Amino acid sequence: MPTPRPGGPVRGSTTGRPIMAAMDLFGRRWALRILWELRAGPIGARALLAQCEGLSSSVLYQRLRELTSSGIITPSADGYELTPTGADLGRALAPLDQWANTWAQKQKQEHDQDQNQDQDQDERVDHTGRPPERD
Amino acid sequence: MPTPRPGGPVRGSTTGRPIMAAMDLFGRRWALRILWELRAGPIGARALLAQCEGLSSSVLYQRLRELTSSGIITPSADGYELTPTGADLGRALAPLDQWANTWAQKQKQEHDQDQNQDQDQDERVDHTGRPPERD
DNA sequence: TCCTTGTGTTTCGTTATTCGAAACACTAGC
DNA sequence: GCTAGTGTTTCGAATAACGAAACACAAGGA
């Protein structure tokens, strides 16, 4: 499958609207996760592989090629790192991280109320400037 | 494969960190796109299928089940619609949309400079409050 | 030099996911 | 009862991901 590129037709859309190309690219397995891990700075491929438990090397390198040819990451002396555009993307993903936290709380409440026990959990919402931290 | 749920182990992460569950869920093909289309309001399954060119019904219904059991969408009289949590998610995705637009510009420039012809394109950046519009 | 260890990367057979078309079930209007 | 429109499921074929092994290369030590 070709790497989706804004401006051209992509899977699921013939208009080339950028968000559609992005969704095609990031909808591929592990793409978002690899990006997420790269926020912490340059990292070697083997280390990245170790951090993404369950990711296979063949898919890793496929994603690395796609993200590289999309101008989001670039190979460097220390392995791979985000380009400026990629770093912007990392920041654009921050609201998703915040959403995920509140989502987790709501899902938890929903599950807890089945046992009718309300325990106000410590709210692990990210108030900080989003320092890249590992999972 | 089970629907990823925050708090539990998911594909690629055993810690249950919400963002990991979210990435597992949205990393599945068409998940993000279906969400995107639903921002415009309730829509029937067949209409949704028509809007997502290339999406097969079998995958659509699988995603609809997953998103429903994740509390992001819900069946309604008019088909499917976003829950409040799902609507929040739609808003959390807005920066990604903006990023995609600037990404498209940069990718375009990069491609254009190969032919050394600079045509300052009309910049289709979304300044509006992100009115859900179709592709 | 030979050996080990650590990288980055590719290959390939197996397994899982998606596609794509067709079908089934139900409802409303004629 | 027929038709047309939904929502949904089924199933074989095509595609993508897994997973382990291998190859290539460089650095460091015996």
Side-chain angles (χ1 to χ4, degrees):
Chain A
M1 182 179 306
T3 302
R5 216 168 288 284
V10 296
R11 183 181 57 191
S13 175
T14 53
T15 61
R17 271 190 74 193
I19 185 66
M20 295 304 160
M23 283 182 176
D24 187 4
L25 186 57
F26 303 138
R28 297 174 182 192
R29 204 169 285 177
W30 295 104
L32 228 39
R33 174 68 184 276
I34 289 169
L35 224 46
W36 194 254
E37 297 296 341
L38 279 174
R39 291 176 322 149
I43 184 176
R46 256 179 146 103
L48 196 49
L49 203 50
Q51 224 144 57
C52 297
E53 193 181 4
L55 170 60
S56 64
S57 58
S58 44
V59 174
L60 171 61
Y61 283 99
Q62 194 172 324
R63 293 291 166 271
L64 288 176
R65 273 192 297 270
E66 290 165 0
L67 292 173
T68 298
S69 98
S70 298
I72 292 167
I73 69 175
T74 185
S76 75
D78 303 315
Y80 289 90
E81 65 184 353
L82 295 178
T83 62
T85 303
D88 285 344
L89 174 55
R91 284 185 282 274
L93 250 28
L96 181 62
D97 186 30
Q98 285 189 259
W99 172 87
N101 281 294
T102 63
W103 171 55
Q105 287 176 239
K106 284 181 187 166
Q107 286 285 96
K108 189 170 197 329
Q109 282 169 18
E110 218 167 272
H111 182 264
D112 283 353
Q113 78 183 12
D114 294 349
Q115 283 112 2
N116 196 24
Q117 46 182 145
D118 54 344
Q119 48 203 145
D120 45 302
Q121 199 69 11
D122 59 323
E123 312 184 357
R124 310 206 282 107
V125 182
D126 191 10
H127 297 301
T128 73
R130 231 142 289 98
E133 48 185 349
R134 305 291 188 191
D135 176 39
Chain B
M1 183 178 306
T3 301
R5 216 167 287 285
V10 296
R11 184 180 55 189
S13 174
T14 53
T15 61
R17 271 190 73 191
I19 185 65
M20 295 303 159
M23 283 180 176
D24 187 4
L25 185 59
F26 303 139
R28 298 175 181 192
R29 203 167 286 177
W30 294 106
L32 226 41
R33 173 67 184 275
I34 289 168
L35 223 48
W36 194 254
E37 297 296 340
L38 279 173
R39 290 177 321 149
I43 184 175
R46 257 180 145 101
L48 196 49
L49 203 50
Q51 226 143 58
C52 297
E53 193 182 2
L55 169 61
S56 63
S57 58
S58 44
V59 174
L60 171 61
Y61 282 100
Q62 195 172 322
R63 294 291 167 271
L64 289 175
R65 274 191 297 271
E66 290 164 1
L67 292 173
T68 298
S69 96
S70 299
I72 292 168
I73 67 174
T74 186
S76 75
D78 303 315
Y80 290 89
E81 64 184 353
L82 294 178
T83 62
T85 302
D88 285 344
L89 175 55
R91 283 185 282 273
L93 250 29
L96 181 62
D97 186 30
Q98 284 189 262
W99 173 88
N101 281 295
T102 64
W103 171 55
Q105 286 177 241
K106 285 182 188 167
Q107 287 284 97
K108 189 170 197 328
Q109 282 168 18
E110 219 167 89
H111 182 265
D112 282 353
Q113 79 183 13
D114 293 349
Q115 284 112 1
N116 193 24
Q117 47 182 142
D118 55 344
Q119 50 204 145
D120 45 302
Q121 202 66 11
D122 56 322
E123 311 184 359
R124 308 204 283 107
V125 182
D126 192 10
H127 297 299
T128 73
R130 229 142 290 98
E133 48 186 349
R134 304 296 188 189
D135 176 37

